[in-house]
Amino acid sequence: MFARSTTVQAHLSSLDAGIAHMREEVMPELDGIPGCIGLSLLVDRVTGRCIATSAWETQQAMRDSATRVSPIRDRAARMFGNSDTEVQEWEIVVLHRDHRSSQGACVSATWGRTAPEHLDSAIQVYKSATLPAMEESDGFCSASLMINRATGQGVSCATYDSAEAMERDRERATALRSESTRQAGVEVTDIGEFELAIAHLRVPELV
């Protein structure tokens, strides 16, 4: 399973219009592209940072979609009030759901990097130690890990039932992140907290 993420720095006044466009226009368009298995949208209503992620059955399907997706992405970015986007491609190596998310769910995301040759061992640390600890969180909904094998970059996302649950778990999650990245030899490069505005990924369980 593979994913393409698009990050845009939205104007705060355009957030709701952009979300509506993603739900009403982008989702149906993507559903018509062979190999696409859904879309998610993360929104930070304080900073305006928005991350849309489309999931694909194969790397080839993702790459074959590039020409069709490009104008869809450009229109969506304009709806968010900013034509500048950052696009990244990932392999989805872990996806685990305790239960489906509902309205009000939030996501804590951690970006990191390691030497590409160390990725497999880092993935094992995530599966054997990090994920079980995440599941113990009050309000835990799901977790995912996506990587780029060429660059050694990765992003881990933990979904909570609500902003309150994410806030309650913040101190414990910070300690877990510190210990897990130390064990895995991963350098944390960015951290973010988001509203899960769209949760329409149909990725199967990958553990």
Side-chain angles (χ1 to χ4, degrees), residues 46-169:
V46 176
T47 67
R49 185 183 188 186
C50 299
I51 305 173
T53 301
S54 56
W56 303 86
E57 292 177 340
T58 65
Q59 188 175 46
Q60 191 61 50
M62 180 174 66
R63 291 178 174 171
D64 289 346
S65 73
T67 300
R68 290 182 64 178
V69 168
S70 181
I72 297 172
R73 178 171 56 243
D74 291 345
R75 288 196 302 272
R78 289 195 295 271
M79 289 300 297
F80 281 109
N82 190 343
S83 60
D84 295 330
T85 59
E86 177 188 358
V87 180
Q88 293 177 291
E89 294 185 348
W90 308 96
E91 177 186 348
I92 307 171
V93 292
V94 176
L95 191 291
H96 171 64
R97 296 182 184 90
D98 180 79
H99 55 275
R100 289 279 181 178
S101 61
S102 56
Q103 186 174 1
C106 290
V107 172
S108 175
T110 301
W111 288 263
R113 64 185 174 203
T114 189
E117 62 268 24
H118 295 158
L119 270 176
D120 285 335
S121 61
I123 292 168
Q124 286 306 311
V125 170
Y126 189 90
K127 289 181 176 181
S128 64
T130 309
L131 183 58
M134 293 167 73
E135 289 184 276
E136 296 176 2
S137 302
D138 179 36
F140 172 83
C141 179
S142 63
S144 65
L145 176 65
M146 304 190 300
I147 63 166
N148 183 314
R149 291 190 181 274
T151 65
Q153 294 174 295
V155 55
S156 166
C157 291
T159 303
Y160 294 85
D161 288 325
S162 65
E164 292 77 15
M166 183 169 64
E167 183 176 355
R168 287 196 305 269
D169 194 53

